[in-house]
C-alpha cells in the first residue's frame, strides 16, 4: 500500500532545507561570543567537565573583594568534600569580578567623560579582547595604577593606538596605559555598548575613587555531577535579588527550544540589575537563537510527522506479520518434532 504521495514527499524534502539553514545559523550565532566559552578554554584537554556561571547583582547587593574571597574559601571546601584533586601548581577554578562607573579621563590633548569598568580577578580570561598594543591588566599586579583604553578612547585622547607606558589622568592622579584593546567588532557588542569610548581599570582603583561594589561576578568551576556548580552558587554566593546565569551551553539547540516558553517575558526585568554590555550582547544572540530554534522545529514538524507515521505503520505491519508467522512456525515445529520422534521409533508414537 502506498504510504505518501509524491507531492507530500517533495514538500517534506523542501521543508528540510530551511530547517537545516536555521540549525546552521543557530550554530554560527551560538559560537560568536567568546565571553560565553570560558569553560571550554579553561577545561582544555582535561576529562573533568567545567561550567561557566555569571552572577549579575543589584547595587544594593554588590560584593566587596572580601565577600569574594570568602566565597572562594567556601568553594574550595566544597571541592574537598567532593574529593576533587587540585592539579599541582594549578587551580580548579578561575573567576573575575567587575563594576561600572563614569569618570573624567584626560590626556595632554583633551578630557573626556567615559564609561569605566573596574576589573578584578582574571577578567580577561573571560573576555579575551584583541590587544592592539601593550598587555592586559593582571590580578598579580601589585600596584593598581594601570589602565586599558579601548580603540575609540585611545584615538580620542591620543590620536593613536601604540600607547603602552604613556599616562592618562583621572582627576589629578596619573595612571599608566597598559594597553589598547579592540572591544569588539561584533554587531551585538556594538549594539550593546554603543559608540562611546571606554576604559578598563583595576577594581581596587575604581573602588578607591568612587566606592562602588562589584555588580558582576564570573566563575568557571568543575561540574563532576549535574548541578554541582549551581548548588555551590546558590548555597554560598548569595546573589540576593540579582540574576544568576549558566553561560555554558546556554546557546545549545535544546536550551533555545526550552527558551521558547519564556520568549517575550524573558526580556522583562523586575529586579534593579544593570547588565554589563557583554551580557546584553549575549541576550541579543540568545533571543535570535530561540527564534531560529523555533523556526527549525516548525519546519521539521511535517517531515518528523511523516517519519512517525511511517514508523507506526511499519511496526503495525511487522506485528501483523508476526501474528501470522508465529502460529505457522509453531505448527511446522510440532510436525518436525513428531517426525523425528516417529523415525526414532518412540513408544509413545506407536
Amino acid at each position: 500500500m502506498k504510504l505518501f504521495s509524491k507531492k507530500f514527499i517533495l514538500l517534506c524534502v523542501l521543508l528540510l532545507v530551511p530547517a537545516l539553514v536555521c540549525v546552521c545559523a543557530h550554530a554560527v550565532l551560538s559560537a560568536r561570543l567568546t565571553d560565553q566559552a570560558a569553560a571550554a578554554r579553561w577545561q582544555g584537554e582535561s576529562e573533568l567537565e567545567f561550567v561557566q556561571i555569571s552572577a549579575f547583582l543589584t547595587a544594593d547587593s554588590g560584593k566587596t573583594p572580601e565577600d569574594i574571597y570568602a566565597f572562594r574559601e567556601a568553594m574550595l571546601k566544597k571541592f574537598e568534600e567532593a574529593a576533587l584533586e587540585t592539579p599541582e601548581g594549578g587551580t580548579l577554578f578561575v573567576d573575575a569580578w567587575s563594576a561600572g562607573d563614569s569618570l573624567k579621563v584626560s590626556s595632554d590633548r583633551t578630557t573626556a567623560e567615559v564609561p569605566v569598568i573596574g576589573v578584578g580577578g582574571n577578567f580577561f580570561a573571560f573576555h579575551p579582547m584583541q590587544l592592539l598594543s601593550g598587555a592586559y591588566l593582571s590580578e598579580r599586579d601589585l600596584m593598581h595604577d594601570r589602565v586599558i583604553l579601548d580603540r575609540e578612547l585611545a584615538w580620542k585622547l591620543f590620536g593613536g593606538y601604540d600607547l603602552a607606558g604613556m599616562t592618562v589622568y583621572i582627576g589629578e592622579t596619573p595612571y599608566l596605559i597598559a594597553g589598547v584593546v579592540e572591544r569588539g567588532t561584533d554587531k551585538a557588542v556594538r549594539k550593546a555598548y554603543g559608540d562611546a569610548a571606554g576604559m578598563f581599570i583595576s577594581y581596587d582603583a575604581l573602588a578607591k575613587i568612587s566606592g562602588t561594589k562589584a555588580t558582576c561576578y564570573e566563575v568557571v568551576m568543575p561540574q563532576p555531577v549535574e548541578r554541582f556548580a549551581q548548588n555551590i552558587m546558590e548555597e554560598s554566593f548569595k546573589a540576593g535579588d540579582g540574576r544568576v546565569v549558566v553561560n555554558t551551553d546556554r546557546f545549545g539547540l535544546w536550551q533555545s527550544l526550552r527558551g521558547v516558553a519564556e520568549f517575550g517575558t524573558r526580556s522583562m526585568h523586575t529586579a534593579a540589575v544593570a547588565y554589563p554590555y557583554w551580557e546584553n550582547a549575549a541576550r541579543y544572540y540568545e533571543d535570535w537563537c530561540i527564534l531560529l530554534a523555533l523556526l527549525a522545529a516548525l519546519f521539521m514538524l511535517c517531515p518528523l510527522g511523516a517519519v512517525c507515521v511511517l514508523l507506526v505503520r511499519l511496526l503495525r505491519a511487522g506485528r501483523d506479520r508476526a501474528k501470522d508467522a508465529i502460529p505457522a512456525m509453531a505448527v511446522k515445529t510440532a510436525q518436525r518434532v513428531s517426525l523425528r520422534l516417529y523415525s526414532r521409533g518412540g513408544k509413545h508414537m506407536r
Side-chain angles (χ1 to χ4, degrees):
M1 184 177 68
K2 190 174 182 180
L3 293 178
F4 304 112
S5 67
K6 291 183 179 180
K7 290 184 178 180
F8 182 79
I9 295 173
L10 179 60
L11 175 63
C12 290
V13 172
L14 291 177
L15 287 174
L16 286 175
V17 175
L20 182 61
V21 170
C22 289
V23 170
C24 292
H26 182 283
V28 170
L29 288 184
S30 64
R32 292 291 289 272
L33 298 177
T34 56
D35 306 287
Q36 306 297 309
R41 293 194 297 272
W42 182 254
Q43 179 173 342
E45 297 180 358
S46 172
E47 295 181 359
L48 183 62
E49 184 179 346
F50 288 79
V51 65
Q52 177 184 353
I53 300 178
S54 300
F56 304 102
L57 310 172
T58 63
D60 294 336
S61 61
K63 302 292 184 181
T64 64
E66 289 72 24
D67 296 327
I68 292 167
Y69 298 149
F71 172 71
R72 282 179 171 181
E73 291 297 323
M75 181 168 50
L76 289 172
K77 186 176 180 181
K78 294 292 185 181
F79 293 170
E80 290 180 5
E81 292 173 358
L84 294 173
E85 295 185 6
T86 302
E88 185 176 353
T91 177
L92 284 171
F93 76 94
V94 60
D95 64 353
W97 54 95
S98 56
D101 207 337
S102 181
L103 299 174
K104 285 187 177 180
V105 183
S106 61
S107 67
D108 295 335
R109 294 179 52 180
T110 186
T111 298
E113 184 163 355
V114 298
V116 175
I117 298 177
V119 302
N122 203 340
F123 180 83
F124 293 99
F126 291 85
H127 308 281
M129 295 170 235
Q130 178 188 355
L131 278 166
L132 300 179
S133 66
Y136 294 130
L137 302 180
S138 172
E139 186 179 14
R140 295 185 294 273
D141 291 345
L142 297 178
M143 303 295 290
H144 304 299
D145 61 347
R146 300 199 305 156
V147 299
I148 290 180
L149 312 184
D150 67 10
R151 176 196 288 268
E152 290 76 15
L153 186 58
W155 184 261
K156 190 171 187 177
L157 294 181
F158 294 95
Y161 309 126
D162 190 11
L163 308 177
M166 298 183 71
T167 303
V168 295
Y169 293 86
I170 300 176
E172 300 296 325
T173 306
Y175 289 85
L176 293 175
I177 299 174
V180 177
V181 295
E182 176 66 77
R183 191 182 298 270
T185 57
D186 185 84
K187 179 181 179 181
V189 173
R190 288 296 183 187
K191 281 183 173 292
Y193 190 73
D195 297 325
M199 183 174 76
F200 298 90
I201 188 173
S202 162
Y203 170 79
D204 291 334
L206 181 61
K208 185 177 180 180
I209 295 169
S210 61
T212 185
K213 293 183 178 181
T215 52
C216 174
Y217 177 72
E218 302 168 276
V219 62
V220 170
M221 69 174 86
Q223 184 87 308
V225 295
E226 189 176 358
R227 288 196 56 81
F228 176 80
Q230 292 91 316
N231 290 337
I232 292 177
M233 289 293 291
E234 291 172 2
E235 294 171 9
S236 305
F237 189 76
K238 309 300 182 186
D241 293 329
R243 302 287 178 87
V244 176
V245 175
V246 181
N247 305 85
T248 305
D249 296 330
R250 71 187 291 187
F251 295 104
L253 193 60
W254 177 242
Q255 285 296 112
S256 295
L257 286 172
R258 291 178 62 182
V260 171
E262 301 175 358
F263 192 78
T265 58
R266 65 181 301 277
S267 298
M268 299 170 65
H269 304 294
T270 56
V273 176
Y275 291 123
Y277 75 88
W278 58 85
E279 175 59 17
N280 280 325
R283 293 177 72 83
Y284 173 87
Y285 277 140
E286 205 169 25
D287 284 341
W288 275 105
C289 284
I290 289 173
L291 180 59
L292 288 168
L294 175 60
L295 289 174
L298 292 175
F299 284 128
M300 287 295 292
L301 281 178
C302 192
L304 286 176
V307 170
C308 290
V309 170
L310 179 61
L311 289 175
V312 169
R313 292 190 178 183
L314 288 175
L315 287 172
R316 286 179 177 176
R319 183 188 62 187
D320 293 340
R321 289 176 183 174
K323 285 182 179 179
D324 295 336
I326 290 174
M329 289 177 62
V331 171
K332 289 181 179 180
T333 302
Q335 290 175 347
R336 289 173 183 172
V337 171
S338 298
L339 287 173
R340 286 179 183 177
L341 291 174
Y342 184 81
S343 62
R344 291 176 184 175
K347 294 181 179 179
H348 61 285
M349 295 296 295
R350 293 176 183 173

